[in-house]
Amino acid sequence: MRILAIETSCDETAAAVVEGRSGPSPHSVVLSSVVASQHELHEEYAGVVPEIASRAHAERILPVVRDALRDAGVGLGWVDAVAVGHRPGLIGCLLVGVAAAKALSWSLSRPLIGVDHVHAHLYAGLLRTQEDPPPAAAEFFPALGLVVSGGHTSLYRLDSWTRLTRLGATIDDAMGEAFDKAAAILGLPHPGGPRLDELAETAPEATADVEFPISRIAPGSLDFSFSGLKTAMLYAVRGVPGPRGRAAPPLTPERSAALAAAFRKAAVDAAILKLSRAVEQSPSPYRAILTGGGVTANRLLRRELAAFSGRTGIPMYLPPLRWCVDNAAMIGGLAYHLLLAGKTADVSLQAQPTTAL
Ligand code: KG4
Ligand code: ZN
């Protein structure tokens, strides 16, 4: 089963060709994955401008699809199904991908599969390449899922690829958004998350002169909050306002690195805390932890997730760096399992700015 997948929910125009392989452990093999990033278009605005993003998708979608087919060494006649990330995201951006996928599916008379972008991030750690050996037949469910990206921070229980329950989510900023804003406060260019991560690697967090809060929300809560952490960075750099305020020490390169390290540590600790709570609260043991989203590229988070898996004995499926950030391979990979479950769509498929759960 060969799937052409399209992803345009935010600022990456992406297409991939994925082969779904059946057998004792059905899995998805990535034959090609093309991502045209728009970072350079949004850099001067220090954030994604929706109108600019959707226009760039419209210009790039056909060349990107063509490149994905060329890299996979196949033509359109070879495609058995067309998949598209149809929610959640910026509506004008989603519309471009959904319109392209509908047109291709209709003109090729092939099934259309609508994929939830956040759910697809959870699949990224299970994608295989052609060089990988087929996976051993393994039972993943029930699985605990963590998505941490620029737009989303959510914990899920997965009983199958079509039965997902959201256990918690951010009540304010997404984790990646907090990284990007903290980086902007430190004067790092957009998107700052990866740059803050690099800077944090150069200093021990204990050298920071500010303590960053780890949000607990309430005992047992599986929700996240990152706005307090972001405000702590703002005050550390600009000073505390108000009658009892105080000026901030100068932002030397050493102080900047120490603040970055302490910020990163608090954000990562918050994510690990919610994972621990979810494991404790589960009525039955989880068989896997599935993670994804741009922030899973964070070096400290990767180290801490691996350590968490070691402590709990629950296998962790951490995507390689190229599949942490937005891509279409994860859309095609999950689409294969939705197709196996009979979850196909038709030309009435709608782009939706929010997720169903
Ligand atoms: O998954 P993604 O490409 O897009 C969304 O669906 O939002 O995630 C992008 C986010 C950005 O906020 C980016 O700064 C963050 O992931 N990010 C990182 C790192 N690499 C990407 N945040 C912290 N450390 C990183 N190494
Ligand atoms: Zn994403």
Side-chain angles (χ1 to χ4, degrees), residues 132-147:
D132 292 331
E139 185 50 75
F140 298 113
F141 303 114
L144 178 61
L146 173 72
V147 179

Side-chain angles (χ1 to χ4, degrees), residues 174-196:
M175 192 168 170
E177 184 185 357
F179 264 96
D180 292 340
K181 287 179 178 165
I185 295 167
L186 287 173
L188 302 171
H190 169 84
R195 280 142 172 161
L196 188 148

Side-chain angles (χ1 to χ4, degrees), residues 7 9-10 117-118 121 147 149-152 293-294 324-327 330:
E7 155 61 35
S9 66
C10 190
H117 174 96
V118 183
H121 271 304
V147 179
S149 72
H152 306 280
C324 288
V325 288
D326 287 349
N327 65 84
M330 65 183 193

Side-chain angles (χ1 to χ4, degrees), residues 85 92 208 249 349:
L349 181 73

Side-chain angles (χ1 to χ4, degrees), residues 27-41:
H27 61 283
S28 302
V29 175
V30 183
L31 304 187
S32 68
S33 174
V34 175
V35 179
S37 165
Q38 304 176 3
H39 289 167
E40 78 289 355
L41 298 181

Side-chain angles (χ1 to χ4, degrees), residues 217-258:
I217 309 224
S221 170
L222 299 180
D223 285 331
F224 300 81
S225 164
F226 291 103
S227 73
L229 192 55
K230 180 187 67 184
T231 307
M233 180 63 99
L234 186 70
Y235 289 179
V237 173
R238 304 236 179 113
V240 181
R244 289 168 45 206
R246 62 190 137 73
L251 191 63
T252 60
E254 295 72 33
R255 184 163 186 264
S256 194

